[in-house]
Amino acid sequence: MNRRRFMVAAAGVFGLAALLRRLRAAETWLVRYLWSGAVTPTGARVVACLSRSAERVRWAFVADKADWKSAAFTEAIAARPEDGNIVAFTLTGLKPATTYRYAVEVDGRLVTESPAKFTTFPETTNDVTVCFASCASTGSDHPVFDAVGNQKPAVFLHMGDFHYLDIIPADRNRRLEGYAAVHASSTQRKLYRQVPIAYMWDDHDFLGSDSDGVAETPAQAAAIKDARLAYQTAIPHYPLALGAGDVPIAQAFSLGRVRFVLTDARSARLPGKTILGDAQKKWLKDEVRASKEKHRLFVWISSVPWTGKADPKADTWAGFPDERTEIADFFKAEGLAGRVCILSGDAHMLAIDDGSHGDFATGGGMPIPVFQAAALDRKGSDKGGPFSHGTKPGRGQFGRMRIKDDGTKLHVEWAGMNADGEVVKGMEHAFTV
């Protein structure tokens, strides 16, 4: 095991502070990490974390294979210690379905040693691949991340438990360094420099195991706010649906006629009452109503499982059966039967249900196909269900979604994948909208 991998693995033994001291001691590079997200056909958001502060940081970007001498530059901004020396910029005016390489110029030095790139979305989804998964030990170097990259997805949907640091108190620096610790992984660092991300947290990367949005004390309120603001600083996210600042991190984006909706199932959760909170739930409904004519399929990213018998102690949608029925009834009333599917993480397994066990509308009539995809690198577990295709608990797993749209019919193919890039037996499902 190489030195850096050992240091990441040792986080659970020495604690985050000790891990970060070792990482800082080993850092000799100027750019700690680069990654991209919020990709559209004409734009993207890029984020860099530097090893020191800087007065002038510019982004340089070129169409793939072009010379850096022809690079376009953004305006200059400063990298400040209070933001973890993290800088972000939203690129606009790009060409659809085009690969761009990008780098940062720090106080006059263009840092191009480590390649980073993204590809803008096509305007239509005639043949597009999306990968999705959740749950990886902090800084995992598992080869599954290479397997994800080898699929050449348009985007990687990370559905939670990006790390397992369980940071409970308000500690902005610790949270920002937690994200940096993930990028210390060789395989993850490579993936996030090559494939844009759309990321929604779950419990361990929010406030800790089974965490929620209860803010009965000033300390609890401060921790929730701190987590939300740290996310907005470090993550190349799409515009947040409820605005910037101390708000849930809900967001949405389109790939052709497919609308991806990411809801925050943690920071507005009130046990026994709601998993989404009133404001986010209203946005979800408004979002669907506003875009249902333009989009044929809604892919809902819920970090926790949808299926399962009602149980007030469950940390999934089964623990909120009334709200689950309310949302299913809403989809049904809007005429969306056959046009909604759910991707989820949390449970450390691959599992597919064709909708047979995912209909929670009053009187039925709203079956929702569900695909559970985990664990990237955690011990297997089994929860929720039943599932029409069964379950495959284990690590080194992710989901793949292929979208083919000829303008008349939209065909979706699901496959559960392993770290060797192979389809896991029994984990395949297809449907047409």
Side-chain angles (χ1 to χ4, degrees):
M1 182 181 294
N2 64 41
R3 182 186 178 193
R4 287 186 56 76
R5 184 171 180 181
F6 169 77
M7 290 189 293
V8 171
V13 177
F14 296 107
L16 178 61
L19 167 63
L20 293 173
R21 284 196 297 271
R22 287 162 173 77
L23 289 176
R24 291 190 191 101
E27 286 167 4
T28 57
W29 59 90
L30 182 56
V31 180
R32 298 179 68 187
Y33 64 77
L34 285 171
W35 58 342
S36 64
V39 172
T40 69
T42 59
R45 187 167 178 81
V46 286
V47 172
C49 177
L50 307 182
S51 60
R52 63 168 174 82
S53 60
E55 291 301 316
R56 288 182 53 83
V57 182
R58 295 194 303 170
W59 290 93
F61 60 100
V62 295
D64 198 20
K65 299 181 181 179
D67 193 284
W68 283 109
K69 293 180 181 179
S70 63
F73 286 85
T74 66
E75 62 187 43
I77 54 179
R80 301 299 187 194
E82 57 267 29
D83 292 322
N85 297 320
I86 294 171
V87 290
F89 202 89
T90 298
L91 305 174
T92 60
L94 307 179
K95 296 180 179 179
T98 301
T99 298
Y100 290 89
R101 290 184 295 136
Y102 64 97
V104 288
E105 180 191 74
V106 182
D107 291 335
R109 176 191 169 192
L110 184 59
V111 186
T112 60
E113 290 88 344
S114 298
K117 65 181 181 180
F118 63 84
T119 301
T120 50
F121 287 167
E123 294 182 312
T124 59
T125 51
N126 54 349
D127 193 352
V128 173
T129 295
V130 172
C131 290
F132 48 96
S134 61
C135 309
S137 297
T138 308
S140 166
D141 271 322
H142 199 287
V144 68
F145 297 101
D146 287 334
V148 171
N150 290 340
Q151 294 296 318
K152 301 187 183 306
V155 63
F156 176 48
L157 299 170
H158 200 301
M159 304 182 298
D161 294 340
F162 190 65
H163 58 66
Y164 276 72
L165 293 173
D166 292 329
I167 303 170
I168 296 174
D171 189 333
R172 180 178 173 80
N173 183 65
R174 191 178 177 198
R175 293 184 190 283
L176 295 179
E177 289 292 353
Y179 289 125
V182 174
H183 288 272
S185 154
S186 60
T187 54
Q188 293 192 67
R189 182 180 176 87
K190 177 182 176 182
L191 174 63
Y192 300 139
R193 283 174 174 256
Q194 305 295 314
V195 177
I197 193 170
Y199 158 54
M200 174 55 65
W201 61 30
D202 195 39
D203 54 347
H204 293 283
D205 46 350
F206 172 49
L207 295 184
S209 183
D210 296 345
S211 52
D212 53 42
V214 173
E216 295 176 344
T217 68
Q220 289 173 323
I224 293 169
K225 179 179 179 180
D226 184 69
R228 289 168 166 173
L229 296 181
Y231 175 98
Q232 293 171 51
T233 297
I235 309 302
H237 59 83
Y238 286 92
L240 299 187
L242 300 179
D246 189 12
V247 296
I249 57 172
Q251 55 202 274
F253 67 92
S254 298
L255 250 176
R257 296 197 298 164
V258 181
R259 189 67 169 168
F260 290 81
V261 181
L262 291 76
T263 52
D264 179 351
R266 291 293 170 182
S267 77
R269 178 189 295 212
L270 299 177
K273 297 180 180 179
T274 177
I275 199 168
L276 297 180
D278 291 341
Q280 185 178 200
K281 185 163 54 180
K282 180 181 184 302
W283 165 75
L284 173 63
K285 294 177 180 179
D286 290 345
E287 168 67 27
V288 169
R289 287 195 187 100
S291 57
K292 71 177 184 178
E293 297 303 322
K294 181 178 179 180
H295 299 93
R296 297 306 302 161
L297 177 66
F298 288 89
V299 181
W300 181 13
I301 289 79
S302 168
S303 65
V304 295
W306 173 256
T307 62
K309 183 179 179 181
D311 177 1
K313 297 181 180 179
D315 188 47
T316 68
W317 279 99
F320 301 82
D322 293 341
E323 190 168 40
R324 181 170 63 178
T325 294
E326 176 190 349
I327 293 173
D329 284 349
F330 165 76
F331 287 148
K332 179 180 175 180
E334 292 295 318
L336 295 177
R339 293 176 55 189
V340 178
C341 65
I342 296 176
L343 309 181
S344 294
D346 185 55
H348 299 173
M349 64 185 187
L350 292 173
I352 294 177
D353 187 73
D354 60 9
S356 301
H357 305 97
D359 189 349
F360 296 98
T362 303
M366 190 62 213
I368 301 178
V370 171
F371 194 161
Q372 294 282 147
L376 288 160
D377 189 14
R378 296 291 288 184
K379 183 180 179 181
S381 66
D382 197 329
K383 68 172 72 172
F387 298 90
S388 61
H389 289 51
T391 65
K392 297 286 185 180
R395 58 170 28 101
Q397 303 184 141
F398 64 98
R400 183 184 70 194
M401 179 177 184
R402 286 180 172 164
I403 306 167
K404 300 178 181 180
D405 188 356
D406 64 6
T408 302
K409 293 182 178 180
L410 193 154
H411 186 68
V412 175
E413 297 174 356
W414 282 350
M417 310 294 293
N418 63 25
D420 294 322
E422 302 167 336
V423 176
V424 176
K425 185 177 180 180
M427 291 292 110
E428 291 183 277
H429 179 62
F431 57 94
T432 299
V433 181

